[in-house]
Amino acid sequence: MRSGPAAVLLPPALFSRASSTSSVLEVARSAREAARKLAALPLEDRNDALNRVASALENAKTEIETANKSDCEIAAKPESNVAPPLQARLKFGGSKFRDTIQGVRDLMKLEDPIGRIQLHRELDQGLVLKRKTVPLGVLGIIFEARPDAAVQIASLGIKSGNGVLLKCGREAVGSCRAIVSAIKDGLKTSKASPDVVALLTTREETAEMMKMKEYVDLIIPRGSNSFVQYVMQNTDIPVLGHADGICHIFVDKAAEIQKAVEIATDSKIQYPSACNAVETILVHEAVAKQFLEAFGSRAEKEGIEIRGCQGTLKHVKGAEAVEADWSTEYGDKIVSVKIVPSMESAMQHINTYGSRHTDCIITEDASAAAVFQSQVDAAGVYWNCSTRFADGFRYGFGAEVGISTSMMPPRGPVGLEGLVTYRYIMTGNGHVVKSYTGDGAKPFTHKNLPLQ
Amino acid sequence: MRSGPAAVLLPPALFSRASSTSSVLEVARSAREAARKLAALPLEDRNDALNRVASALENAKTEIETANKSDCEIAAKPESNVAPPLQARLKFGGSKFRDTIQGVRDLMKLEDPIGRIQLHRELDQGLVLKRKTVPLGVLGIIFEARPDAAVQIASLGIKSGNGVLLKCGREAVGSCRAIVSAIKDGLKTSKASPDVVALLTTREETAEMMKMKEYVDLIIPRGSNSFVQYVMQNTDIPVLGHADGICHIFVDKAAEIQKAVEIATDSKIQYPSACNAVETILVHEAVAKQFLEAFGSRAEKEGIEIRGCQGTLKHVKGAEAVEADWSTEYGDKIVSVKIVPSMESAMQHINTYGSRHTDCIITEDASAAAVFQSQVDAAGVYWNCSTRFADGFRYGFGAEVGISTSMMPPRGPVGLEGLVTYRYIMTGNGHVVKSYTGDGAKPFTHKNLPLQ
């Protein structure tokens, strides 16, 4: 069973159940039912399920790699018109496969995000309130053509007690079918139901899912800003938006120049198409010449293209920036640069053009950093480090399902902890509200008790 | 200045600035700017502002009561067509006035919801991540004709560092103008700007506000389900929904009957139009006769009308319930009653017809209660106490801006704590991501540090 092509190993019937409205509904309903049971499993059973999923993926390595090879070959054809960076993300094998499986096992070590008591309060004698974290229910995640993401997201769902409906980019359908099949195989031997994870493969199914408010609790679209906007405007289900990443670095007048050059370079070229890559560098006029000369020669060496304001172009080679540059996520080795007269002016620029993702100040002046970090309205406000650290894995969240740039929580990189909600659990012994109102009303004690 | 009618004391010009699109925009922009400064004030300054607001309201008691008297007189006219319960809520004077002001002062005693460190983690030596609570920004709150709500909401906003745009029900416009004028007077003598609080008075202004995604961060509509739905469908701004309250009481087979009767009665008549009042009582068939005979005679005495299933009507007087009754929020002294064969069946009914607000089990069987409280998917799951406890004040949150029935947090009664978000604050010293990737990658330490 380990040799033939994936198409033979995975009969289409296995997935065709999700091919019409009623089938998507059935898949979502089964996922909700399965998720309810998953939520009731103790941590050790959810961790055991993860372990079995990891082993099942290892056992299906050949099938998965074969399916992936086929996906990659199709994507590489000129007529498929798939950009090289996307082709690179599509590849799934070797160390990437190994690291991804390791990621599943690492997740087992993380604390349980559900069942945490966030509040424990006596309202009156014998009347006790607790606030306890519980899973959200069923997550609908629409992600790019990245097979490793299917594994990560499914694992985060299992650990956090949520069902997951996965919809991958069309280039990765073969790989994701093989992966989800293996995950289900792993779950079959565990206490969790294989229905907890399901794969949708067509746009029509995504559109159906977006209508199922009763069965889907959160939609997480990953992709272009326009796609996220489209999803937000076409569903009543809450959306966790992985929107534009217009990240800034402000090089303050008290910046150490070499540090600024290193951080700016890493923030741009370490992974130019990532949403946490820097797009605009704002430079205090007092250090403009010094920084720009150093950064300019580094940029030339690294192949970074500069779109600068007029002042900038006195010190470095590049094209003149136009208004649109300040709100463009290049996704490439291009950076816009602007000289500003003050930190106030830099913050003004960021609050105008930024996308509330991640913004950074480079300075040796701690009080300037404190002002910047308290007044810039982004999910991440950094001081003297690369914007590329904005990532669930780097934060220690056990990978991430997405990055939210909304003001409401969950905000920033969303991992395990962001996939839960809470419930107020109250216990009394015949307590009625009448006793606490009107003349002779009893007072509430509102005494906080230890969090258990 | 304490005698004449409110219309004379409050020149229209004071509020007319919000009478066109550009003026609402200006008000929202000023609120955002003022809120940014408010957010930076230490707790003692925000508490001092609350104290000054309380005093200013006391000083303006005559003006406010005069304006309220006038509102009430207009509402009482038959041609105004204002229902008696609404007229009762509109009244604002005497002990209600005193209690409301006391509520503002009580808020001063509550812990600061902003500036809390929720996570403190070393990612590597010298690279430290903190997650800190910060205000949301500007809240747009559309509430019913209740003058006391204007005071409560504005106070919650000030304490939590948020700007608030208040839009009250049209019957309370005179009272709310006098109240907001006094609040602004109080703020003028404090370190907070009076622009933190603003009053909108027309539907057109509400419609404008719903378009101002750049300046308004959260909209909280309080009112009918259809109104909340309307708001949700007509804005891109996140909405905290105070939707239908279809609350249930399940009288288990192990219920103590007298306790069940007292709790059911309190849950219904203590304030029948509240969203946390019970609408449906589900009774285990094993105790149906016993409970229904006792509850039936109590209901008759209290003037509670019963809409029962056929089995129910064998034991109590009432009309036969139709399908629509199970999803109706009566807002009146009416309750639907259904006999169920098991707790499983009761939970099924609740998960089908409930609105995820507050549901309660009456039982002496702790293990039945545990199952109910872990498997019913509501913001509040209660055991042996009145559903009417679902309220921010009773939970010790310092009043509430609304109750959310969504799955995503903030959920349930939303007070101070629900009006904040968080920001990831990272401090490094030249750290770049390149060091942690590829061959020879440094590992992250991910060491949790004490929460400061």
Side-chain angles (χ1 to χ4, degrees), chain B residues 1 77 138 233 237 286 289 303 341 360:
Chain B
M1 285 297 282
K77 287 183 185 166
V138 173
Q233 278 155 15
I237 302 170
K289 183 173 185 293
C360 177

Side-chain angles (χ1 to χ4, degrees), chain B residues 281 283 288-293 295-297 299-300 304-322 325-326 330 334-340:
Chain B
I281 300 174
V283 191
K289 183 173 185 293
Q290 215 186 339
F291 170 77
L292 288 172
E293 284 176 2
F295 180 69
S297 66
E300 206 174 324
I304 301 172
E305 195 183 318
I306 290 174
R307 309 261 169 98
C309 67
Q310 289 188 340
T312 297
L313 298 182
K314 287 179 191 159
H315 308 290
V316 296
K317 280 184 226 162
E320 189 170 339
V322 295
D325 280 294
W326 312 125
Y330 299 110
I334 306 172
V335 72
S336 55
V337 180
K338 188 182 186 178
I339 297 174
V340 292

Side-chain angles (χ1 to χ4, degrees), chain A residues 233-250:
Chain A
Q233 279 155 14
N234 287 281
T235 184
D236 284 342
I237 301 169
V239 176
L240 191 151
H242 180 144
D244 256 359
I246 313 280
C247 301
H248 297 79
I249 286 178
F250 168 56

Side-chain angles (χ1 to χ4, degrees), chain A residues 121 136 259 266 374 378-379 381 383-384 394-395 407 411 421-424 426 428-430 433-434 446, chain B residues 121 136 259 266 374 379 381 383-384 394-395 407 411 421-424 426 428-431 433-434 446:
Chain A
R121 183 175 290 165
L136 281 169
K259 203 182 275 179
D266 185 82
S374 75
V381 279
W383 175 24
N384 285 350
R394 289 173 198 136
Y395 281 8
M407 277 302 282
R411 203 181 184 203
T421 182
Y422 49 73
R423 200 180 278 162
Y424 287 98
M426 182 111 88
N429 183 21
V433 166
K434 198 184 166 199
H446 286 159
Chain B
R121 181 175 293 167
L136 281 168
K259 203 182 273 178
D266 186 81
S374 77
V381 277
W383 176 24
N384 285 350
R394 290 174 198 136
Y395 280 8
M407 277 303 283
R411 202 181 185 202
T421 182
Y422 49 74
R423 202 180 276 161
Y424 287 97
M426 181 111 88
N429 184 21
H431 292 71
V433 166
K434 199 185 165 197
H446 287 159

Side-chain angles (χ1 to χ4, degrees), chain B residues 108-287:
Chain B
M108 295 170 61
K109 297 173 206 155
L110 292 186
E111 271 180 53
D112 197 355
I114 64 176
R116 290 193 195 169
I117 305 299
Q118 301 179 316
L119 179 150
H120 188 193
R121 181 175 293 167
E122 180 198 86
L123 303 193
D124 190 13
Q125 205 183 350
L127 184 65
V128 175
L129 180 70
K130 278 184 184 178
R131 189 167 78 193
K132 191 174 168 179
T133 61
V134 295
L136 281 168
V138 173
L139 317 174
I141 301 171
I142 308 160
F143 58 105
E144 56 281 46
R146 276 181 53 192
D148 54 328
V151 176
Q152 282 175 4
I153 296 164
S155 314
L156 287 168
I158 294 165
K159 176 92 182 193
S160 60
N162 288 292
V164 279
L165 304 182
L166 299 165
K167 164 66 176 65
C168 66
R170 63 182 167 77
E171 299 84 358
V173 166
S175 315
C176 288
R177 278 189 170 150
I179 287 168
V180 170
S181 174
I183 291 175
K184 283 174 172 285
D185 281 347
L187 289 173
K188 271 176 206 155
T189 67
S190 82
K191 290 198 179 156
S193 158
D195 290 342
V196 159
V197 179
L199 182 70
L200 309 181
T201 57
T202 68
R203 287 188 187 184
E204 292 68 32
E205 290 170 357
T206 308
E208 287 306 324
M209 175 176 80
M210 282 163 56
K211 290 179 205 153
M212 294 177 184
K213 200 179 174 178
E214 267 183 278
Y215 298 107
V216 180
D217 298 282
L218 180 67
I219 292 190
I220 307 178
R222 319 207 308 184
S224 69
N225 192 26
S226 59
F227 175 66
V228 174
Q229 296 271 342
Y230 166 81
V231 171
M232 285 178 170
Q233 278 155 15
N234 287 280
T235 184
D236 284 341
I237 302 170
V239 176
L240 191 150
H242 180 144
D244 256 1
I246 314 279
C247 300
H248 297 77
I249 286 179
F250 168 55
V251 181
D252 183 46
K253 64 180 175 199
E256 197 179 282
I257 300 301
Q258 197 47 38
K259 203 182 273 178
V261 170
E262 294 302 330
I263 290 172
T265 307
D266 186 81
S267 296
K268 183 74 252 184
I269 68 166
Q270 209 274 328
Y271 198 159
S273 62
C275 61
N276 55 16
V278 70
E279 307 301 337
T280 300
I281 300 174
L282 301 164
V283 191
H284 194 288
E285 58 183 15
V287 294

Side-chain angles (χ1 to χ4, degrees), chain A residues 250 282 340 342-354 361 368-377, chain B residues 36:
Chain A
F250 168 56
L282 302 164
V340 292
S342 62
M343 179 168 78
E344 194 57 49
S345 160
M347 294 194 299
Q348 186 80 38
H349 180 102
I350 294 170
N351 285 335
T352 304
Y353 297 101
I361 182 171
V371 171
F372 184 91
Q373 290 185 303
S374 75
Q375 290 189 18
V376 168
D377 226 359
Chain B
R36 245 193 250 281

